[in-house]
Amino acid sequence: MVQKAVGEVEAATQELAAEAVMNKGVIPTSITAGKQGSALSIDLKDIFTPSVPLEVLVIFCRQLYSLTKAGVPLLRSMKGLTQNCANKQLKEALEEVTNELTNGRSLSGAMQLHSKVFSPLFVSMISVGENTGRLDQALMQLAGYYEQEVETRKRIKTAMRYPTFVISFILVALFILNIKVIPQFSSMFSRFGVDLPLPTQILIGMSNFFVNYWAVMVGCIVGGMFAFRAWIQTARGREKWDRMRLRFPIVGDVVNRAQLSRFSRTFALMLKAGVPLNQSLALSAEALDNKYLEGKLLEMKASIEAGSTVSSTAINSQIFTPLVIQMISVGEETGRIDELLLEVADFYDREVDYDLKTLTARIEPILLVIVAGMVLILALGIFLPMWGMLDAIKG
């Protein structure tokens, strides 16, 4: 007897939702997208609960790989890793995953219930490893993928350390000047009763506004931050912001190459593991964490499912460089897309590494111009009236 059931499943796309339902032995007849919350709704638990660091996931993947490779039963391996896990969020997820394994659910199905810890990419790789009997290889590939992500993030933090320090110093200097220094000169100039030049009037006006309306400024900054966050939580706002990030001067090219490297590596990893082409493309799009590029890749997926070739859809998307398009075309002809995309990822990783090493040298002239402008305005604002006072005394 056929029974009809209604329920909810969390997935990135309708295709992934259908696959998750079918893995549970249920044949879906209709799938509709659920309603998302409003843009202004904020879950305090999500804000104060930190995400699981990638380093922790790397260690987990390598430990589970070693246990699986040694032939230790999966349930026993998961219990041992749960007891020795130091990360609270991962430990709670592993405890529930272990309970689901005890009840007969597959490892990928149990991990899919914890999307905050295990991404769709992670779950799909585990699912492929289970279905092909190569779970150890899938875990090793995941460990290598996350290690590469960790190294990229470390390089970005190292490159941004110097500009962040200089900008913070500039903001502190502006705060001290407006609060302590400029008011002293303002009172001195007012006692002499001299006509103040325009730069001095601008400095004194800015200082008075800063001293008298600092609460309004703080409120505007905080309100602007909340408004910006609400805007990027909307689908249209997030897509526009992600598109703007790719066009920022100096850093936009670095972000674009880093995104292409991540896409190439993720797409190659999926194809090499045996994930179907359309599903690999959808998972790679989600792994980018860029809604603009994700939308373009999902359009590619729809075109491929309609019968177009991968290379032609890549050209029409207008988001890939000629190198990526050429590699996809050659890989499509030879049946080695995964291998060639891995070479593309390595190439862009080297490009990003070089860009990050030279990023400080390219940002330094801009920072020097900003500091020089501040010093020039401050010098003109302070010394011009003093020179006028000396001329009046001499006269």
Side-chain angles (χ1 to χ4, degrees), residues 48-279:
F48 295 105
T49 302
S51 59
V52 178
L54 292 182
E55 293 87 347
V56 175
L57 289 178
V58 170
I59 295 174
F60 168 72
C61 290
R62 289 203 172 274
Q63 290 177 338
L64 188 56
Y65 162 77
S66 300
L67 293 171
T68 307
K69 189 74 173 177
V72 180
L74 181 60
L75 184 58
R76 180 181 172 187
S77 301
M78 292 298 295
K79 288 182 178 179
L81 293 177
T82 303
Q83 294 174 356
N84 298 325
C85 183
N87 185 273
K88 182 179 179 181
Q89 190 176 359
L90 179 60
K91 185 173 184 177
E92 292 177 354
L94 291 180
E95 288 176 351
E96 296 183 14
V97 168
T98 304
N99 293 332
E100 294 293 332
L101 289 175
T102 306
N103 296 331
R105 189 186 293 269
S106 64
L107 179 61
S108 58
M111 287 181 170
Q112 194 174 21
L113 301 176
H114 304 278
S115 58
K116 300 294 183 182
V117 178
F118 305 107
S119 65
L121 172 67
F122 195 104
V123 174
S124 296
M125 287 292 296
I126 296 297
S127 176
V128 171
E130 287 180 315
N131 294 331
T132 59
R134 297 183 298 176
L135 182 60
D136 54 345
Q137 296 183 15
L139 289 168
M140 178 55 68
Q141 289 175 337
L142 282 172
Y145 173 79
Y146 284 123
E147 282 177 349
Q148 190 70 30
E149 286 290 306
V150 170
E151 291 299 322
T152 302
R153 294 187 181 185
K154 286 182 179 179
R155 292 199 299 265
I156 293 175
K157 289 181 180 178
T158 302
M160 296 303 296
R161 189 173 299 157
Y162 173 75
T164 303
F165 172 78
V166 174
I167 293 174
S168 302
F169 177 78
I170 291 174
L171 294 176
V172 172
L174 284 174
F175 178 80
I176 296 175
L177 287 173
N178 283 291
I179 295 295
K180 297 293 183 181
V181 179
I182 297 178
Q184 297 295 330
F185 283 98
S186 176
S187 61
M188 182 183 69
F189 294 149
S190 62
R191 287 197 301 267
F192 281 94
V194 296
D195 295 331
L196 299 178
L198 181 61
T200 307
Q201 294 179 14
I202 294 175
L203 284 178
I204 294 176
M206 290 177 58
S207 177
N208 292 335
F209 181 82
F210 193 91
V211 172
N212 297 326
Y213 299 100
W214 64 270
V216 177
M217 292 178 60
V218 172
C220 291
I221 293 173
V222 174
M225 292 174 60
F226 275 99
F228 175 75
R229 179 166 185 174
W231 178 64
I232 63 174
Q233 283 182 348
T234 62
R236 188 173 182 182
R238 178 63 186 274
E239 183 178 354
K240 285 186 176 181
W241 170 244
D242 287 340
R243 186 174 184 179
M244 289 170 56
R245 285 195 305 166
L246 300 176
R247 299 183 178 181
F248 283 162
I250 299 178
V251 298
D253 290 337
V254 182
V255 173
N256 191 24
R257 278 193 279 265
Q259 296 280 19
L260 288 176
S261 172
R262 179 184 291 183
F263 164 76
S264 301
R265 190 172 300 280
T266 308
F267 194 34
L269 184 67
M270 294 281 97
L271 293 176
K272 193 173 183 180
V275 180
L277 179 64
N278 56 349
Q279 185 179 348

